[in-house]
């Protein structure tokens, strides 16, 4: 469902938006007040077209940039806060406009028009931001739903002007307003992007959305005159166009509902935020490790990366990697722990029970430390996870992860360690094969050099004798 003028390029959209805005400005200078129903309808149609053209221009401008939800919400919140600030001080600053209907001062008319333009720009920005959030991370195309919402916003706009002149037709305005609000509520439930935020971002979103929901409610109270007897800004906007006042109020309702739903959605997502962060961290670490399979061939560097990633993904305090060489255990890499400490613990745990560690196991260090021949200073550990490194069903080493807190490794931790061990075994095997290949190539080059030197020791030509046949051999 393609909207009118949406296929135009950006310059054409900007030109049309500026043209209609200038035309509206001139029209309001000629007809500063609403004197008849026909002039009000013409006025509203020009305003709706101008708002729509600016809307599609801003959407085109924003869609070319990479959208991140939190900065977008923060910018929208700043705009809403500016609207709230202007409304809160409007009575004292714009007191002269209280009698705008009877004033014919040209300067006051221009100020009123420009002020209305500023508020229109603010609310268009808020609406376009909500539109971007509506489509963000959606797997289905909901453009028809949003375009229907646009249509009913326009109908609510016009119905407010009809109600302004014909009070007996209030049911038309009420019907369109109710349907529009219902559509806005449905649109506000499209918040799939929240699931992709980490816990810290969700807490930040929780605070910001709560503040913005309250501010949107206070803006509604100011526009409707709940907090003040009369609000000058709302009078100016209503005199500019009753429908425009209705449009602003609906956008304000949309923002309030949307931020309210964001608040509760983020609140309900908080208990599972740690699990989501953990999954994301595990997935990104596995992807990084997969890249290392093709990029890093230095055995020591690869070992350091594996241990640091294991500690990060499994929420462990320590990690180390051991490899088997000629049936001996060698500490290849450590993270946040000393070589001597890990060597003593590893030998105490593995060398006596090497056949037991065919799968990932969790050891309660507190229970067995007295049985192990380890120094009493090695008491920082509480639980140790051991995962074998397997290549073609042969164990080539072990990956260790240890914690100092009292919480054991759960099944998710075991799966993560197992996955890392599987990837690590392949990566380390590749690194060793490449090292062996490089060493073999080096030896072959040395043999080639030796062969050339030996060849040069022989005479260039075999000596010839009449009675003796001579040949040479190395």
């Amino acid at each position: 469902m393609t909207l009118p003028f949406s296929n135009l390029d950006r310059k054409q959209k900007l030109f049309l938006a500026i043209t209609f805005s200038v035309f509206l400005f001139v029209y309001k200078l000629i007809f500063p007040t609403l004197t008849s129903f026909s002039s009000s309808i013409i006025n509203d149609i020009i305003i709706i077209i101008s708002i729509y053209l600016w809307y599609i221009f801003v959407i085109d401008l924003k869609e070319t940039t990479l959208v991140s939800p939190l900065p977008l919400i923060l910018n929208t919140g700043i705009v809403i806060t500016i609207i709230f600030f202007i409304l809160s001080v409007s009575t004292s600053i714009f007191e002269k406009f209280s009698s705008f209907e009877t004033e014919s001062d040209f300067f006051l008319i221009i100020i009123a028009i420009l002020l209305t333009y500023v508020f229109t720009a603010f609310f268009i920005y808020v609406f376009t931001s909500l539109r971007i959030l509506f489509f963000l991370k959606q797997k289905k195309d909901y453009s028809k739903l949003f375009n229907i919402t646009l249509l009913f916003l326009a109908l609510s706009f016009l119905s407010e002007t009809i109600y302004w002149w014909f009070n007996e037709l209030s049911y038309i305005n009420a019907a369109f307003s109710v349907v529009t609000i219902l559509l806005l509520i449905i649109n506000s439930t499209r918040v799939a992007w929240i699931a992709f935020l980490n816990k810290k971002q969700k807490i930040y979103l929780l605070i910001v959305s709560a503040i913005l929901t309250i501010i949107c409610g206070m803006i509604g109270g100011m526009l409707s005159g709940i907090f003040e007897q009369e609000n000058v800004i709302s009078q100016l906007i209503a005199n500019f166009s009753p429908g425009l006042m209705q449009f602003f109020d609906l956008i304000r309702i949309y923002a309030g509902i949307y931020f309210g739903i964001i608040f509760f959605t983020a609140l309900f997502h908080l208990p599972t935020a740690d699990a989501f962060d953990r999954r994301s961290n595990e997935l990104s670490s596995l992807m990084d490790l997969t890249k290392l399979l093709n990029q890093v061939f230095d055995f020591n560097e690869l070992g350091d990366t594996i241990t640091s990633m294991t500690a990060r993904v499994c929420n462990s305090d320590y990690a180390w990697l051991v490899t088997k060489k000629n049936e001996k255990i060698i500490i290849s890499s450590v993270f946040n722990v000393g070589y001597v400490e890990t060597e003593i613990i590893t030998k105490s745990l593995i060398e006596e029970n090497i056949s037991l560690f065919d799968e990932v196991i969790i050891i309660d260090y507190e229970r067995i430390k007295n049985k192990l021949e380890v120094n009493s200073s090695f008491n920082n550990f509480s639980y140790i996870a051991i995962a074998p490194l397997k290549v073609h069903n042969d164990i080539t080493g072990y990956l260790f992860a240890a914690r100092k807190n009292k919480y054991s490794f759960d099944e998710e931790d075991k799966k993560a360690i197992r996955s890392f061990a599987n990837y690590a075994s392949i990566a380390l095997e590749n690194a060793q094969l490449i090292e062996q290949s490089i060493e073999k190539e080096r030896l072959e080059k040395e043999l080639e050099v030796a062969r050339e030197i030996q060849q040069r020791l022989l005479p260039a030509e075999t000596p010839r004798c009449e009675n003796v046949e001579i040949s040479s051999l190395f």
Side-chain angles (χ1 to χ4, degrees), residues 417-431:
I417 295 172
R418 184 184 296 112
S419 299
F420 258 72
N422 292 337
Y423 276 93
S425 60
I426 297 172
L428 293 170
E429 179 71 10
N430 287 345

Side-chain angles (χ1 to χ4, degrees), residues 6 68 103 132 163 254 324 332 357 371-372:
S6 60
S68 182
E103 287 283 353
I132 291 172
Y163 170 66
Y254 185 19
K324 289 172 60 179
S332 299
F357 303 111
K371 300 178 182 179
L372 302 178

